[in-house]
Structure formats: structure tokens, C-alpha cells
Amino acid sequence: MKSEKFATAQLYADIIDLPHHVSKRHPQMAMWNRAAQFAPFAALTGYEDAIKDTAQENEKQLRNKE
């Protein structure tokens, strides 16, 4: 594992110590806005409700069979 990390570090040795680029054209994004980009979101709105409804229907069917 260490040899893999060392090999990877060697691949980027020529750029690892370069200064960080700062755009002259675009202002830096505020930390709050950057964090918002990575905040969790509900990709499947209503999915949990659909799962609950299905589970309730299945339980109801099982009770009716007994």
C-alpha cells in the first residue's frame, strides 16, 4: 500500500508545489455557497413516502391472508 502511495506521489511531484491558481476574472465563491453545493438534497422526492405506503399495503395483505 505504501509503495502505491509513493508511486502516485511521484506522478504529481512536478505540480505538487505549484502555487494555487486564483482567477483574475471570477471572484472567489463564498465558503457558505461552496458548502451549499455539497449539501445533501432529496434527489428522489416522495420516495420514502412511496416505500412506507408499499410496506403498509404489504402488511395489510399479509394480515388479510391470516
Side-chain angles (χ1 to χ4, degrees):
M1 187 70 153
K2 277 189 172 181
S3 62
E4 289 176 22
K5 288 182 181 180
F6 183 71
T8 303
Q10 281 184 324
L11 289 173
Y12 300 102
D14 60 333
I15 63 169
I16 199 71
D17 292 321
L18 291 177
H20 179 74
H21 172 74
V22 178
S23 175
K24 294 177 185 174
R25 185 176 296 163
H26 305 288
Q28 274 192 313
M29 185 181 286
M31 191 66 71
W32 176 261
N33 292 337
R34 282 183 56 85
Q37 285 184 339
F38 300 102
F41 65 99
L44 300 173
T45 305
Y47 181 72
E48 288 185 34
D49 292 334
I51 295 294
K52 286 179 187 176
D53 291 344
T54 303
Q56 288 174 350
E57 289 173 18
N58 289 341
E59 288 174 1
K60 192 177 195 180
Q61 288 176 359
L62 284 173
R63 275 189 245 123
N64 289 340
K65 285 183 180 182
E66 292 175 352

